Amino acid sequence: MRECTKRAQVLATLVIIVLWTPLEWGCSTSDDNSDDDTAGDDDSGDDDTGDDDLSDDDGDWIQISAGRGISCGVLTGGAGICWGSSEVGASEPTAGVLFTEIVAGQYHSCGLTDTGIVTCWGIDDGSALDHGQVTEVPSGQFVDIDVDWYEHATCAVRVDGAIVCWGTLEGEFMQGDFQQVSVHVHQICGLHTDGTVECTGSNAAGQLDVPGGEFEKVVAGDFHSCGLRDDGSVECWGC
């Protein structure tokens, strides 16, 4: 096994550990790391809300996502909540809709509604950071979405299994019977309905050398990607 593949598997393990970290863990707004829940509450002008917006009264969570400085989640019943630092509205979910999934980004976030429609929110001001992430959302119904906060792009799987992207990536990149998509920087990876994985993009570090067999989920990285097998094992490729 190449050393870079070993490092990739270690990183994947760390990602799994982070995902299982309790929601109570977050950035402290106080200087003394005090356990006092009131510490930092007077910083009303600070855009970084940390986990102050979370409450035990919010209910049960069915899905969560972390972007750059922003986290989002969906509650039982479909309500979407985001929290964190955002000066461009990326932490303000579209009002009046119910979600099955929300993916947090940096300057934009997107959600999949209970009717299969994709809705996005965040920067929409014609600036250099505005790549149509919000205004160019394709019409139609979808089954999965993913946001690349680094490159300000979004990809989604249509009900017919095709993968379509917009923002800094634009167009239908892979045709077929996909059920899940993951996008990050140089890579777009999709999970077929038969469990096989297909990737497109740069192959400078072997990112397209996808191992055979069936997976349950795929996550695209910069120079490597990882997949979750149905037996609970993780396999990575690239460097």
Side-chain angles (χ1 to χ4, degrees), residues 87-98:
E87 298 178 356
V88 294
S91 60
E92 302 172 6
T94 303
V97 298
L98 299 178

Side-chain angles (χ1 to χ4, degrees), residues 23-24 51-61 75 81:
L23 283 174
E24 287 80 3
D51 59 359
D52 293 344
D53 290 344
L54 298 180
S55 169
D56 292 337
D57 296 331
D58 288 332
D60 295 328
W61 300 85
L75 296 171
I81 297 178

Side-chain angles (χ1 to χ4, degrees), residues 52-230:
D52 293 344
D53 290 344
L54 298 180
S55 169
D56 292 337
D57 296 331
D58 288 332
D60 295 328
W61 300 85
I62 61 173
Q63 184 261 334
I64 58 172
S65 172
R68 185 173 185 181
I70 303 170
S71 297
C72 295
V74 179
L75 296 171
T76 301
I81 297 178
C82 293
W83 61 96
S85 175
S86 176
E87 298 178 356
V88 294
S91 60
E92 302 172 6
T94 303
V97 298
L98 299 178
F99 296 95
T100 59
E101 180 182 9
I102 293 180
V103 185
Q106 178 180 8
Y107 297 112
H108 80 293
S109 300
C110 294
L112 185 65
T113 71
D114 61 345
T115 59
I117 305 300
V118 169
T119 177
C120 298
W121 54 92
I123 194 166
D124 179 17
D125 59 5
S127 68
L129 298 174
D130 181 2
H131 300 283
Q133 305 100 303
V134 175
T135 58
E136 298 178 9
V137 178
S139 59
Q141 291 183 304
F142 299 84
V143 297
D144 189 52
I145 57 171
D146 193 33
V147 169
D148 177 11
W149 62 262
Y150 187 84
E151 288 290 344
H152 319 310
T154 305
C155 293
V157 181
R158 292 189 180 276
V159 291
D160 64 2
I163 293 176
V164 60
C165 302
W166 63 97
T168 53
L169 297 172
E170 185 176 357
E172 291 195 356
F173 282 81
M174 293 190 290
Q175 299 288 334
D177 54 347
F178 292 97
Q179 58 179 318
Q180 186 242 322
V181 64
S182 180
V183 55
H184 184 67
V185 188
H186 307 293
Q187 306 303 315
I188 302 173
C189 291
L191 178 67
H192 286 281
T193 54
D194 65 0
T196 59
V197 169
E198 179 182 349
C199 296
T200 186
S202 171
N203 197 34
Q207 301 100 308
L208 304 186
D209 299 335
V210 182
E214 298 181 8
F215 293 87
E216 289 191 348
K217 187 176 181 64
V218 62
V219 180
D222 194 346
F223 295 104
H224 76 284
S225 299
C226 295
L228 176 65
R229 297 280 191 185
D230 57 4

Side-chain angles (χ1 to χ4, degrees), residues 22-46:
L23 283 174
E24 287 80 3
W25 291 16
C27 298
S28 173
T29 56
S30 65
D31 293 331
D32 59 359
N33 294 323
S34 171
D35 291 332
D36 186 353
D37 290 338
T38 63
D41 286 351
D42 293 333
D43 298 332
S44 57
D46 191 346

